[in-house]
């Protein structure tokens, strides 16, 4: 079938204006081995890295269109774990900006992420009340920990005790988990309100919990065998402390009174657990320094001398059991912030410099510095990134006539952007809430309508407001230019439509040149609030959308009534008239778009276009195609002649407020509640409506799993895998079943017939290679879910092929072991009761044990051979290979100084 009408596809260019999302946290990140200068933040569905010194974006990590909810960098600063609102955790490589692996862990948004000390394991907590521990090396989940009755707020690994995870939740409990046994062995139930955060301090000596009140609860952690480590004053023990399962004792040591107001929002510690930071709902970050044991004893000695000056007290006489929280915790100078803090991160450097990076609700990032050791030290603000975006949501956008500039207005300012580079050119303080914008012919000036009814005339070159006009008494909802470009028309909430003409007047400031001004020409008084105004291109008609759900059309020259368009159930919010003045489209709060004829006012078609209120519609210049956006966040293109939807573009994560199309029709820009401006451009790629509709149907089908959300196994009702069923796991199961079927048919022909097309596509010649290729192409995080979907007869077929596969391909022993062990764990009872599989099982055990033994021997041989070669080279060269003697001495001295200075890692912070 030939193309009846060709449409050209619009593709997204970029999203800009957003500096940092308020939902996710901020974190320091090392770029090119430079620490303390770069921060990583979430920006809607993207992750951005900002260079705080120069205020520029240096890196970007992008997945699909899902909002980022949590970030965490690995201890070696090489990887970045990103949690999304759909429960998926993506692991990125920071130097290459590429995705390493992904874990489908949770059924709702990720609310906590943390690496272990070596960065080999990752724990994630979600709003689905679960904790999932993932193995980064194997790229699979290790276990799912269930027990919390409310969303998890924080989770972290203990450093001193192996495979122990601590988690907090809104169910007021703090739980300690053992990863090996996958059970909770200790629960703290002291709190009466939600636990919003936990932090392990000073190498797991202390556990600090933040709740909904203004106090931080501190618990002391000590091994059960070490009786002397528990102070005498901390006698309040939890009931679980009597248990022999726990390797340590957790006792309440006291509480820290915060100076801030409201609940504790965030609890953050540096990498070594020396400095603790927290903030509430006010404009302040409080900092606490946890002293080392030697420093604490010195403070105790001084305190005892003050209490009893006549008695001489030595440091040796001061016992560890006499220490109190006042000796071990020192309050640092608080950080006053310009706005309410949403999230922050800490970094302690080698010269006792503490750096604090913060994100705020008003879309900016700021970096502070504080000297920890100096007395009466005052925090200093180093850098801030705030001019690259609006502090609040953009409500209006418009294009310049040369297609090069974009104007966007928010609650307090107007920004001019370069369309080519998406950078800010000018920022103008409007002093009011911008609801409409329009470029004046010549693109030197911009008209801005405010919520107060004021009309601002802004000169673009100096970026100043040159005139403020009290145009309307209420909101100025619409500004539109007249077809002759000699004036403009405004519509406001005071039920009037006013006509203005552009005039050049003498400069009031005494300059020689003339300046642009507006002269009021005429007023059209109506009965209802005016929501939108449009003028036809032939200059005959003016259309006014009113609050009474009607659109009234008047003659432009005489302002006499011409037509009334009625049919919407709710008020018309937006409308537009085509270039040939034959069609008018109206978008309403009733979610419909109606296409009307301008000659008789008849409704050509009513389209149920969106799932929420239509916020903007606009024709593409010189066509009958138009774009629409709505509060459902979607951006759609329509054909007003055939009444068909052409394409749905990736819109905003929240509501979409406005859109603008460039005069040449090549670019579309939209703004929304996710604080992004999204730019799209028209490509030369043709679209066929049937293909687009088929793709949308497939995408909708893929969004719903064919086998259901739950993974159920007969006989194992309590099986809770650390992964979630995804489209990838379903496709992996389909590929395995198809591989088994094709291999069986090919083997029935004694492998003499023509090679099956599927095997040819995989570039394999034997059925064993075919099966191994299919298994290896399933993503490691989806492999278990894919194997779980296989029917038992397919499992038997797969197990029967394992012995031959093991002996033929010993280089894939690890993958084969993983498949076999999981299938045996899930289908143990039917496999054991099946007598036919008994010889197969015996053969699998023999071949796999031999293959694993060979692999282990090979690894050991290679390791010791490499060590022998190293020793020989060292003896021949007379120097230490891979090590420099001076570096070794420096490292030894550093270790000694580190022991003396409370084991603090030395980090050089770049100025």
């Amino acid at each position: 079938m030939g193309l009846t009408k060709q449409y050209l596809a619009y593709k997204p260019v970029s999203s800009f204006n957003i500096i940092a999302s308020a939902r996710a946290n901020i974190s320091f990140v090392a770029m090119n081995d430079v620490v303390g200068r770069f921060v990583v933040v979430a920006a809607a569905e993207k992750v951005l890295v900002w260079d705080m010194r120069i205020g520029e974006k240096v890196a970007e990590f992008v997945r699909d269109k899902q909002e980022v909810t949590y970030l965490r960098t690995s201890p070696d600063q090489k990887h970045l774990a990103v949690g999304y609102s759909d429960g998926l955790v993506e692991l990125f490589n920071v130097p290459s900006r590429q995705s390493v692996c992904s874990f489908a862990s949770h059924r709702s948004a990720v609310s906590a992420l943390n690496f272990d000390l070596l960065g080999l394991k990752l724990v994630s907590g979600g709003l689905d009340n679960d904790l999932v521990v993932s193995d980064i090396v194997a790229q699979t989940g290790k276990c799912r920990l269930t027990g919390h009755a409310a969303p998890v707020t924080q989770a972290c690994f203990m450093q001193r005790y192996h495979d122990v995870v601590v988690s907090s939740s809104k169910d007021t409990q703090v739980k300690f988990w053992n990863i090996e046994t996958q059970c909770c062995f200790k629960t703290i139930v002291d709190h009466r309100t939600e636990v919003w955060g936990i932090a392990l301090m000073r190498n797991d000596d202390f556990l600090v919990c933040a709740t909904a009140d203004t106090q931080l609860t501190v618990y002391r952690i000590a091994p059960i065998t070490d009786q002397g480590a528990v102070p005498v004053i901390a006698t309040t023990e939890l009931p679980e402390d009597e248990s022999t399962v726990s390797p340590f004792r957790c006792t309440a040591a006291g509480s820290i009174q915060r100076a801030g107001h409201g609940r504790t929002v965030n609890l953050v510690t540096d990498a070594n657990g020396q400095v603790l930071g927290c903030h509430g709902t006010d404009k302040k970050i409080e900092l606490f320094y946890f002293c080392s044991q030697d420093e604490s004893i010195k403070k105790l000695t001084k305190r005892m001398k003050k209490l009893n000056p006549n008695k001489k007290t030595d440091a040796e006489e001061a016992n560890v059991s006499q220490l109190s929280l006042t000796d071990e915790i020192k309050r640092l100078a608080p950080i006053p912030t310009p706005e309410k803090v949403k999230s922050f991160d800490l970094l302690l450097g080698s010269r006792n410099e503490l750096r604090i990076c913060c994100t705020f609700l008003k879309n900016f990032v700021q970096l502070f510095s504080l000297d920890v050791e100096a007395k009466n030290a005052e925090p200093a603000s180093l850098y801030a990134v705030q001019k690259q975006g609006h502090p609040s949501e953009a409500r209006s956008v418009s294009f310049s006539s040369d297609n090069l500039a974009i104007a966007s207005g928010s609650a307090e300012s107007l920004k001019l952007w370069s369309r080519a580079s998406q950078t800010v050119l000018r920022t103008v303080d409007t002093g009011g809430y911008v609801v409409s914008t329009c470029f004046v012919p010549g693109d030197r000036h911009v008209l801005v309508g405010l919520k107060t009814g004021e009309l601002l005339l802004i000169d673009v070159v100096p970026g100043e407001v040159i005139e403020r006009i009290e145009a309307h008494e209420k909101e100025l909802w619409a500004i539109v230019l007249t077809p002759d470009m000699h004036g403009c028309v405004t519509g406001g909430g005071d039920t009037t439509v006013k006509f203005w003409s552009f005039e050049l007047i003498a400069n009031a400031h005494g300059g020689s040149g003339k300046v642009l001004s507006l002269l009021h020409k005429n007023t059209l008084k109506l009965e209802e609030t005016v929501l939108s105004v449009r003028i036809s291109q032939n200059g005959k008609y003016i259309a006014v959308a009113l609050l009474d759900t009607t659109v009234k059309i008047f003659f432009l020259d005489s302002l006499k009534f011409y037509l009334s368009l009625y049919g919407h159930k709710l008020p018309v919010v937006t409308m537009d008239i085509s270039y040939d003045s034959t069609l008018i489209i109206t978008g309403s709060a009733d979610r419909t778009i109606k296409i009307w004829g301008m000659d008789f006012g008849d409704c050509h078609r009513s389209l149920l276009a969106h799932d929420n209120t239509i916020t903007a519609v606009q024709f593409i210049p010189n066509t009958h195609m138009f774009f629409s956006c709505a509060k459902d966040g979607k951006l759609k293109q329509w054909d007003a002649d055939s009444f068909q939807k052409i394409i749905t573009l990736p819109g905003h994560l929240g509501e979409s407020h406005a859109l603008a199309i460039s005069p040449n029709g090549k670019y579309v820009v939209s703004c929304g509640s996710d604080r992004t401006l999204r730019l799209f451009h028209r490509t030369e790629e043709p679209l066929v409506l049937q293909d687009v509709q088929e793709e949308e149907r497939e995408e909708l089908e893929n969004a719903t799993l064919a086998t259901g959300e739950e993974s159920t196994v007969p006989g194992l009702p309590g099986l809770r895998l650390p992964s979630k069923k995804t489209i990838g796991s379903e496709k992996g199961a389909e590929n395995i079943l198809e591989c088994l079927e094709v291999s069986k048919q090919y083997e029935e022909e004694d492998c003499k017939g023509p090679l099956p097309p599927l095997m040819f596509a995989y570039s394999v010649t034997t059925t064993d290679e075919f099966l191994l290729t299919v298994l290896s192409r399933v993503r490691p995080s989806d492999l278990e879910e894919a194997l779980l979907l296989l029917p038992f007869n397919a499992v038997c077929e797969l197990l029967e092929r394992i012995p031959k596969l093991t002996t033929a391909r010993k280089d894939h022993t690890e993958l084969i072991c993983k498949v076999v062990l999981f299938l045996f764990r899930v289908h143990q009872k039917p496999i054991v009761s099946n007598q036919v599989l008994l010889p197969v099982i015996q053969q699998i055990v023999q071949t796999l044990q031999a293959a694993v033994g060979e692999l282990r021997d090979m690894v050991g041989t290679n390791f010791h051979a490499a060590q022998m070669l190293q020793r020989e080279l060292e003896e021949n060269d007379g120097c230490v290979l891979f090590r420099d003697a001076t570096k070794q001495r420096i490292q030894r001295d550093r270790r000694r100084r580190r022991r003396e200075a409370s084991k603090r890692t030395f980090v050089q912070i770049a100025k």
Side-chain angles (χ1 to χ4, degrees):
M1 186 183 77
L3 292 175
T4 55
K5 189 167 185 177
Q6 182 172 311
Y7 302 101
L8 296 179
Y10 281 82
K11 298 288 184 182
V13 177
S14 69
S15 62
F16 51 102
N17 177 63
I18 188 167
I19 298 173
S21 295
R23 183 173 182 182
N25 63 317
I26 186 173
S27 178
F28 280 103
V29 66
M31 302 288 290
N32 302 322
D33 297 328
V34 178
V35 183
R37 176 175 166 180
F38 302 94
V39 296
V40 58
V41 296
E45 74 277 8
K46 295 182 181 179
V47 177
L48 307 179
V49 178
W50 289 98
D51 186 339
M52 295 301 295
R53 183 194 289 178
I54 60 178
E56 289 185 0
K57 181 176 66 177
V58 295
E60 191 175 281
F61 302 91
V62 185
R63 186 195 149 230
D64 292 333
K65 196 163 182 59
Q66 295 290 339
E67 187 178 7
V68 177
T69 57
Y70 209 86
L71 302 167
R72 183 68 69 187
T73 52
S74 62
D76 59 359
Q77 300 288 315
K78 297 291 177 62
H79 294 93
L80 174 68
V82 183
Y84 292 89
S85 58
D86 60 349
L88 192 136
V89 178
E90 193 91 11
L91 193 68
F92 292 96
N93 184 280
V94 175
S96 65
R97 278 79 152 162
Q98 298 297 319
S99 174
V100 177
C101 61
S102 60
F103 304 101
S105 303
H106 300 276
R107 289 167 177 79
S108 55
V110 177
S111 58
L113 284 172
N114 245 319
F115 287 89
D116 67 344
L117 185 61
L118 299 176
L120 302 180
K121 290 193 284 287
L122 177 71
V123 60
S124 61
L127 300 183
D128 57 357
N129 311 347
D130 289 350
L131 291 163
V132 175
V133 180
S134 304
D135 189 338
I136 292 175
V137 178
Q139 298 185 6
T140 56
K142 282 180 68 71
C143 60
R144 181 180 294 272
L145 308 174
T146 58
H148 282 295
V152 176
T153 55
Q154 189 56 273
C156 54
F157 284 94
M158 297 189 75
Q159 297 180 8
R160 188 182 299 175
Y161 303 97
H162 187 59
D163 283 346
V164 176
V165 171
V166 192
S167 64
S168 63
S169 169
K170 290 184 182 180
D171 62 2
T172 74
Q173 295 179 355
V174 177
K175 289 181 179 291
F176 294 81
W177 308 82
N178 189 322
I179 299 177
E180 294 299 324
T181 60
Q182 301 183 20
C183 67
C184 172
F185 62 86
K186 184 187 287 291
T187 304
I188 298 177
V189 292
D190 290 353
H191 308 101
R192 297 187 178 183
T193 55
E194 300 94 342
V195 182
W196 290 99
I198 54 173
L200 290 166
M201 305 301 298
R202 214 176 75 182
N203 194 20
D204 297 346
D205 282 343
F206 295 97
L207 172 68
V208 184
C209 303
T211 56
D213 54 19
T214 58
Q215 289 185 339
L216 303 178
T217 310
V218 183
Y219 294 90
R220 194 183 299 272
I221 299 175
I224 289 179
T225 56
D226 187 7
Q227 300 293 337
V230 183
V232 176
I233 58 171
T235 56
T236 306
E237 294 189 357
L238 302 180
E240 288 82 2
D241 285 337
E242 302 300 327
S243 173
T244 58
V245 178
S246 175
F248 52 82
R249 181 183 290 106
C250 186
T251 55
S255 61
I256 304 173
Q257 180 63 46
R258 289 176 39 239
H261 302 291
R263 72 170 179 89
T264 307
V265 178
N266 278 320
L267 201 64
V268 179
T269 178
D270 68 312
N272 302 295
Q274 291 292 120
V275 180
L276 177 71
C278 65
H279 73 89
T281 55
D282 52 357
K283 302 176 183 179
K284 183 190 297 183
I285 296 176
E286 297 178 68
L287 300 171
F288 304 94
Y289 180 78
F290 281 70
C291 305
S292 64
Q293 195 166 0
D294 295 338
E295 293 171 341
S296 303
I297 292 177
K298 286 180 182 179
K299 289 182 68 177
L300 174 62
T301 306
K302 289 181 181 179
R303 184 165 60 87
M304 292 174 69
K305 282 182 180 180
K306 286 182 181 180
L307 292 175
N308 194 352
N310 299 325
K311 183 181 178 182
K312 291 184 178 180
T313 306
D314 296 331
E316 297 177 357
E317 296 180 12
N319 194 356
V320 179
S321 60
Q322 295 176 309
L323 290 174
S324 66
L325 284 185
T326 55
D327 301 320
E328 298 187 285
I329 301 175
K330 180 174 68 174
R331 189 185 293 267
L332 302 177
I335 309 289
T337 57
E339 296 291 336
K340 289 184 179 180
V341 182
K342 294 304 293 183
S343 70
F344 71 102
D345 195 21
L346 303 175
L347 181 66
L348 186 60
S350 59
R351 297 170 185 167
N352 296 318
E353 182 190 3
L354 182 68
R355 288 205 170 178
I356 306 102
C357 57
C358 311
T359 61
F360 302 89
L361 185 63
K362 289 197 171 179
N363 192 29
F364 70 98
V365 180
Q366 197 162 0
L367 185 65
F368 299 92
S369 175
L370 178 68
D371 192 344
V372 175
E373 294 295 331
K375 290 185 177 180
N376 302 322
E378 291 294 328
S381 176
L382 298 181
Y383 312 108
V385 179
Q386 58 184 359
K387 293 184 178 179
Q388 289 84 343
H390 284 286
S392 56
E393 299 174 10
R395 307 293 299 196
S396 175
V397 287
S398 58
F399 260 104
S400 62
S401 61
D402 58 2
N403 314 293
L404 296 178
I406 300 169
S408 63
S410 66
E412 61 285 303
S413 62
L414 176 86
K415 285 187 180 289
L416 294 166
W417 305 81
S418 167
R419 190 261 309 158
S421 62
Q422 294 93 47
T423 56
V424 179
L425 303 175
R426 294 286 186 277
T427 301
V428 184
D429 186 10
T430 58
Y433 199 111
V434 179
V435 292
S436 56
T437 55
C438 180
F439 274 92
V440 175
D443 298 332
R444 167 97 189 229
H445 300 83
V446 180
L447 294 173
V448 175
L450 302 184
K451 211 168 187 178
T452 58
E454 281 186 303
L455 179 61
L456 307 185
L457 185 59
I458 295 176
D459 194 338
V460 169
V461 178
E464 296 176 352
V465 179
I466 58 175
E467 190 174 5
R468 287 179 178 268
I469 303 170
E470 298 290 339
H472 295 269
E473 296 176 0
K474 292 184 179 179
E475 301 90 347
L476 202 159
W477 289 119
I479 306 174
V480 60
L481 297 176
T482 55
D484 58 4
M485 300 297 176
H486 290 166
C488 66
V489 178
T490 61
D494 57 355
T495 71
T496 60
V497 175
K498 294 189 176 181
F499 297 81
W500 310 80
S501 65
F502 298 126
E503 301 287 343
L504 288 173
I505 62 173
N507 195 342
H509 299 287
S512 58
K514 293 186 176 182
V515 295
L516 185 70
S517 181
L518 291 176
L519 181 64
H520 183 215
K521 303 281 289 190
N522 202 353
T523 301
L524 175 63
K525 185 69 178 174
L526 296 158
E527 295 81 14
E528 292 286 342
T529 297
V530 177
L531 298 178
S532 182
V533 177
R534 283 293 180 271
I535 300 176
S536 62
Q537 288 294 318
N538 57 13
K540 283 187 177 182
Y541 309 110
I542 178 171
V544 183
L546 302 177
L547 194 62
D548 61 359
T549 73
T550 64
V551 175
K552 296 191 183 302
I553 302 177
F554 301 89
F555 290 101
L556 185 61
D557 49 1
S558 62
L559 297 183
K560 288 185 177 179
F561 178 75
Y562 173 54
L563 285 173
S564 180
L565 310 179
Y566 53 90
H568 283 288
K569 297 177 181 178
L570 291 172
V572 174
V573 180
T574 177
M575 60 183 178
D576 197 17
I577 300 176
S578 63
Y579 74 102
D580 54 4
S581 305
T582 58
L583 297 176
I584 178 172
I585 51 174
T586 57
S588 168
D590 62 4
R591 304 176 297 168
T592 62
I593 294 176
K594 293 185 184 293
I595 303 171
W596 315 77
M598 287 288 287
D599 43 6
F600 301 109
D602 55 325
C603 181
H604 292 179
R605 185 64 63 93
S606 180
L607 306 170
L608 184 59
H610 291 269
D611 298 331
N612 210 327
T613 301
I614 313 291
T615 53
V617 291
Q618 187 175 345
F619 274 107
I620 300 175
N622 302 321
T623 68
H624 280 182
M625 293 181 289
F626 64 92
F627 276 94
S628 68
C629 66
K631 287 186 177 180
D632 60 1
K634 295 177 181 176
L635 198 68
K636 296 183 180 182
Q637 184 185 2
W638 306 83
D639 191 336
D641 292 331
S642 62
F643 317 120
Q644 287 184 315
K645 185 188 72 175
I646 300 172
I647 194 172
T648 301
L649 296 176
H652 296 268
L653 296 179
E655 298 178 355
S656 184
H657 295 321
L659 67 85
I661 301 175
S662 62
N664 60 5
K666 289 185 177 180
Y667 299 94
V668 180
V669 65
S670 65
C671 61
S673 62
D674 57 1
R675 302 191 179 220
T676 60
L677 297 177
R678 299 181 184 268
L679 183 65
F680 306 87
H681 75 107
R682 188 174 64 204
T683 63
E684 297 302 319
E685 176 188 344
L687 283 180
V688 180
L689 291 185
Q690 290 84 350
D691 294 347
V692 174
Q693 292 166 1
E694 186 64 30
E695 288 177 5
E696 290 182 356
R697 274 196 297 270
E698 287 181 4
E699 187 177 348
L700 191 63
E701 290 174 2
N702 289 340
T704 57
L705 296 171
T707 56
E709 294 288 339
E710 296 296 326
S711 302
T712 56
V713 180
L716 291 174
L719 181 68
R720 294 187 61 83
L721 294 177
S723 56
K724 181 182 68 171
K725 191 187 298 182
T726 61
I727 303 299
S729 56
E730 284 190 345
K731 288 183 178 178
E734 290 177 7
N735 292 338
I736 295 172
L737 289 172
E738 194 172 18
C739 167
L740 293 173
E741 185 180 352
V742 170
S743 300
K744 187 177 180 180
Q745 292 178 356
Y746 188 56
E747 288 172 350
E748 286 176 354
E749 300 173 359
D750 295 331
C751 303
K752 294 181 180 179
L755 202 65
L758 199 60
M759 292 178 63
F760 184 77
Y762 277 95
S763 302
V764 293
T765 55
T766 63
T767 56
D768 293 336
E769 290 182 6
F770 185 28
L771 177 59
L772 198 60
T773 305
V774 170
L775 288 174
S776 60
R777 289 198 179 187
V778 179
R779 197 167 59 178
S781 58
D782 291 333
L783 182 60
E784 289 187 353
E785 292 285 351
L787 295 173
L788 202 61
L789 292 171
L790 297 179
F792 185 67
N793 59 345
V795 171
C796 296
E797 288 184 30
L798 186 58
L799 290 176
E800 288 172 359
R801 295 177 180 273
I802 291 296
K804 185 180 177 184
L805 196 63
T806 307
T807 54
R809 297 298 300 270
K810 294 184 179 180
D811 54 332
H812 285 77
T813 302
E814 186 180 355
L815 175 63
I816 297 170
C817 279
K818 191 184 296 184
V819 171
V820 170
L821 289 175
F822 180 77
L823 291 178
F824 270 72
R825 180 158 63 93
V826 174
H827 302 284
Q828 180 188 8
K829 291 181 180 179
I831 288 175
V832 171
S833 60
N834 192 339
Q835 294 296 323
V836 180
L837 284 177
L838 183 59
V840 175
I841 294 172
Q842 293 173 345
Q843 198 173 359
I844 287 176
V845 171
Q846 292 175 358
T847 54
L848 268 184
Q849 281 182 344
V852 171
E854 286 184 19
L855 186 63
R856 186 177 60 244
D857 293 342
M858 182 182 68
V859 172
T861 303
N862 292 339
F863 176 70
H864 289 286
Q867 283 188 331
M868 185 186 71
L869 288 174
Q870 179 181 339
R871 286 194 299 269
E872 289 181 358
L873 286 172
E874 289 173 358
E875 291 173 0
N876 294 335
D877 297 342
C879 63
V880 180
L881 188 66
F882 305 133
R883 295 190 189 95
D884 188 34
T886 57
K887 289 183 179 179
Q888 194 172 10
R889 190 186 69 249
I890 290 172
Q891 289 176 358
R892 189 167 58 249
D893 294 341
R894 280 183 178 176
R895 283 196 294 268
R896 179 176 54 80
R897 288 197 298 268
R898 194 180 299 128
R899 285 195 299 270
E900 294 173 356
S902 70
K903 304 178 182 178
R904 183 183 305 143
T905 303
F906 281 73
V907 180
Q908 183 63 42
I909 292 183
K911 290 286 184 184

